[in-house]
Amino acid sequence: MSTTSSEHITIVPFEEKYQQAFKDLNQWWIEQYFKMEKMDHKALDNPKSYILDNGGYIAVALLANTPVGVCALIKMENSKFDYELAKMGVSPEIHGKGIGYLLGNAILTKAKELGAKTIFLETHTSLQPAIHLYKKLGFKEIKGVESPYERSDYQMEIIL
């Protein structure tokens, strides 16, 4: 797959048939660097009820009809943020091919369509490629938001 480029990628909305890919792509990166936590299981085991039924959205990147990347937009309640960009995972075989950037842009476009003004995300300082991607998408570092994740030590926002 070394010749993969972003021109061959199609971004589509989540369907039930992509549920296992959504879980697998995220579980892979989480377990590479950290451990699965309660909130991971909640989102990855039940994307329809936890994300979609609550006003969120999931984008799926397809290469030849095979899911190679995913990203969620989770509606935030009782927060100064409208949504959270979360659960972005890309197949390790095609890291560095621009899939994350395509997914991030698709999520931000969807957020605007949904009327969002502010998007939040959280990550870990050890994930420098991810932080670089988020900055490229326009996110800026913020501090002071309580996190349900043990691994979260770096938070960002974008104002649309």
Side-chain angles (χ1 to χ4, degrees):
M1 281 198 197
S2 60
T3 60
T4 302
S5 71
S6 58
E7 299 100 56
H8 298 92
I9 299 297
T10 306
I11 307 293
V12 300
F14 179 87
E15 294 179 40
E16 205 67 34
K17 66 184 176 182
Y18 302 130
Q19 182 165 346
Q20 193 61 50
F22 179 67
K23 182 175 182 174
D24 291 348
L25 288 165
N26 274 288
Q27 191 167 340
W28 177 86
W29 78 260
I30 293 167
E31 291 178 345
Q32 281 293 114
Y33 302 100
F34 310 103
K35 66 176 182 174
M36 291 283 286
E37 297 182 41
K38 180 180 176 186
M39 291 300 291
D40 294 315
H41 290 290
K42 197 171 187 179
L44 298 177
D45 292 341
N46 307 292
K48 183 178 180 318
S49 61
Y50 183 73
I51 299 168
L52 301 175
D53 291 349
N54 290 320
Y57 178 79
I58 301 171
V60 180
L62 300 177
L63 173 63
N65 294 318
T66 300
V68 294
V70 292
C71 188
L73 186 64
I74 301 174
K75 181 91 172 114
M76 296 185 77
E77 300 294 335
N78 306 313
S79 171
K80 71 175 193 168
F81 305 103
D82 297 312
Y83 288 90
E84 177 184 5
L85 184 154
K87 303 302 180 223
M88 181 185 283
V90 174
S91 175
E93 292 86 25
I94 58 170
H95 278 176
K97 304 289 185 188
I99 310 304
Y101 187 74
L102 291 173
L103 284 164
N105 271 325
I107 286 295
L108 293 178
T109 297
K110 184 63 173 182
K112 289 175 190 172
E113 289 173 11
L114 294 170
K117 301 284 185 249
T118 56
I119 308 295
F120 168 81
L121 69 80
E122 53 191 334
T123 188
H124 191 273
T125 50
S126 66
L127 302 176
Q128 285 300 308
I131 292 170
H132 176 75
L133 167 65
Y134 301 140
K135 287 179 178 178
K136 188 175 173 183
L137 288 166
F139 283 85
K140 307 272 188 243
E141 180 181 4
I142 59 169
K143 298 203 183 288
V145 180
E146 192 174 321
S147 175
Y149 293 99
E150 288 178 30
R151 67 177 174 264
S152 175
D153 71 351
Y154 193 87
Q155 300 169 333
M156 303 179 86
E157 74 173 348
I158 188 170
I159 298 171
L160 302 174

